[in-house]
Amino acid sequence: QVELVESGGGSVQAGGSLRLSCAASRDGIAEYCLGWFRQAPGKEREKVATIDISVYLRPTYAGSVKGRFTMSRDNAKNTVYLQMNDLRPEDSGMYYCAADTKLKCPAVEGGTATYWGRGTQVAVSS
């Protein structure tokens, strides 16, 4: 069982930056596939960035955030981050952290991971 707690959301103007954090309740997140997802009101949840350790150790990003967002992990702190720069109003929404074991990495990629945080709200004004 892994509990995930997101933090760092807030309200910013377009062009601003935020850094989201996702703290895991247990050690060993180096052995987990991780992802950031977001959901805007009235829209489906979408993948923002994921790290699939079964295939490739570097994050992959949705096209809409590539070049602006950076996902990273600090295994010693059992924490994963999402640095968001040049924010746009369309980046607004609830941001969720997701995780699953190495055997279930495709579930993270597909948005059906076993473990999810409760989310942190991001609001970007124009």
Side-chain angles (χ1 to χ4, degrees):
Q1 185 73 18
V2 178
E3 292 186 7
L4 304 171
V5 180
E6 302 94 337
S7 61
S11 298
V12 296
Q13 289 190 328
S17 298
L18 286 172
R19 188 175 84 152
L20 306 184
S21 299
C22 172
S25 63
R26 56 171 291 174
D27 294 337
I29 67 163
E31 299 302 314
Y32 282 75
C33 286
L34 302 166
W36 283 100
F37 293 77
R38 67 186 181 188
Q39 187 168 20
K43 295 187 177 181
E44 293 188 355
R45 186 171 60 195
E46 63 173 348
K47 182 172 63 178
V48 175
T50 56
I51 297 177
D52 183 344
I53 62 171
S54 68
V55 177
Y56 196 50
L57 292 178
R58 296 178 65 181
T60 58
Y61 300 93
S64 59
V65 307
K66 194 173 294 184
R68 300 187 297 122
F69 290 12
T70 302
M71 181 179 182
S72 61
R73 64 199 297 169
D74 186 332
N75 293 332
K77 295 182 178 180
N78 297 308
T79 300
V80 61
Y81 303 98
L82 185 68
Q83 177 66 44
M84 307 187 296
N85 298 329
D86 189 24
L87 283 161
R88 304 167 182 171
E90 54 264 36
D91 294 319
S92 298
M94 187 70 80
Y95 281 70
Y96 299 93
C97 177
D100 219 317
T101 60
K102 187 175 180 179
L103 291 176
K104 297 182 179 179
C105 287
V108 176
E109 294 292 321
T112 59
T114 300
Y115 307 108
W116 292 85
R118 294 189 174 186
T120 185
Q121 186 73 43
V122 171
V124 185
S125 58
S126 58

